[in-house]
Amino acid sequence: MQVLMFGWEFPPHISGGLGTACLGIATGLSANNVKVLFVVPKKHGNEDAGEIKVVGAGDVEIPLPYAHTEKLQETFSYFEVNSPVVPYHSPETFAVSAQTSTVESKQTSHGPIMRYPFTGGYGKNLMKEVWQYALTAAAIATQHNFDVIHVHDWLAFPAGIMASAASGKPLVVHVHATEFDRSGSNINMQVYETERLGMLKADKVIAVSELTRKVIIDRYSIPPEKVVTIHNAVLPVAEKHKSLPSKPFNEKVITFAGRITYQKGPAYFIEAAAKILRVDKSFRFVMAGSGDMLKAMISYAAQLRISRYFHFPGFLKGAELEKLLAISDVFVMPSVSEPFGIIPLEAIRAGVPVIISRQSGVQEVLQYALKIDSPDTSDMANCIHALASYKGIHRLLKRESTQELNALNWEKQAYHIKKVYEHLTSTY
């Protein structure tokens, strides 16, 4: 079986859990004898591909006049918005990805061809790139043989719709997050409509948790029988990352890692830290990541007079993140709304017990984690202090959560995805 897969990012070029999940899914499918052609807007050349074939949409030549352009225009209403849509973007890289570029075209013996350039980022031209990605996807779908189309998150939904229309092959959309997770009640309607259209056009919708499945059914009016839940997993640690440093100081290290946005609850983490430090100074807190609230959180820690106990190392990935987790005593994910949350699984993989919010999808698969309500900073502080201070609880959660993690792997989860493919191809 062969799958044509579209996603906006692929490791090591990631902004969060989306790219990590895409690698895990593609790797798991390969282990289940499914050949994966993974299309990203921009290929960098050093992707962690393995047996997965990665193609950059910016490298694809499109014949002109292109037959599917008219069909695309009939399918979508395209308009520009005055404000940038930056769901996974950091202030540090906004200027780079916001640069404009021009379409390349040339004449060949077979007629005129064109090629769209892509930044692959989340800048002010994001919706334009989503549109061009969809056009390119339709061309790719006519140039390759495959059985099913699988797309990840709303940025790739238009590409999946057009690839399906061009090829006549079934479409699976994978919802890793919704606009309600990213924006709360203040949603961007253009993003919402793109998400809803993708789910309506799909032959099957995969949700990363029951929490997300309920949002898809209730907020997007998608028939329940169309939506299946397949939880995320985590890849094993690469051999080169297993030799990790010991902790360079005596204080207990409490770690938060993720996008520093409202969705992730960073302010609650800082408030809980302040409550602990009022009674016990034997702690250090790390907030790793970048996002639109980073500067505000640095200021908030200073305002609470706890900056000397806080570290803000920026966005970490790969070996850097593994090193941080290796010296951590407790990992905390206080998300306000988290469709799944792969990072707690990565912490458990590194031997760190976790505290997670009940507003997360990952709590559905972890029994041996302390669970809190995101805004309850007193409960969060008590859980952090207890887990870091009492060795018996620490050892119990570390041991049992590792056993849970061993039963949750991408090969197993990808098997369920393959079953979705087989059902669709047998009835399409």
Side-chain angles (χ1 to χ4, degrees), residues 135-180:
L135 278 170
T136 307
I140 293 171
T142 63
Q143 298 168 3
H144 296 272
N145 294 319
F146 55 91
D147 301 292
V148 65
I149 299 159
H150 187 158
V151 299
H152 297 279
D153 240 28
W154 72 271
L155 296 155
F157 286 3
I161 293 171
M162 284 313 300
S164 180
S167 64
K169 297 299 174 66
L171 172 64
V172 175
V173 303
H174 208 132
V175 181
H176 297 265
T178 70
E179 180 62 6
F180 294 97

Side-chain angles (χ1 to χ4, degrees), residues 348 353-354 366-371 396-398 400-401 404:
I348 293 169
V354 301
L366 289 179
Q367 179 181 352
Y368 289 94
L370 297 186
K371 300 174 184 181
L396 172 67
L397 290 190
K398 178 178 176 178
E400 297 299 328
S401 63
E404 288 182 309

Side-chain angles (χ1 to χ4, degrees), residues 303-368:
Q303 177 186 335
L304 295 176
R305 299 181 182 276
I306 58 174
S307 294
R308 63 179 295 188
Y309 304 99
F310 246 92
H311 301 264
F312 294 90
F315 178 67
L316 303 178
K317 60 183 178 180
E320 290 181 330
L321 179 58
E322 289 292 336
K323 289 176 182 177
L324 171 60
L325 294 175
I327 64 169
S328 300
D329 293 281
V330 176
F331 180 86
V332 185
M333 189 183 75
S335 299
V336 174
S337 179
E338 188 70 54
F340 188 79
I342 289 179
I343 185 66
L345 300 184
E346 295 177 322
I348 293 169
R349 182 182 64 186
V352 184
V354 301
I355 299 170
I356 55 179
S357 75
R358 294 189 180 93
Q359 292 74 38
S360 66
V362 73
Q363 62 93 22
E364 297 170 12
V365 299
L366 289 179
Q367 179 181 352
Y368 289 94

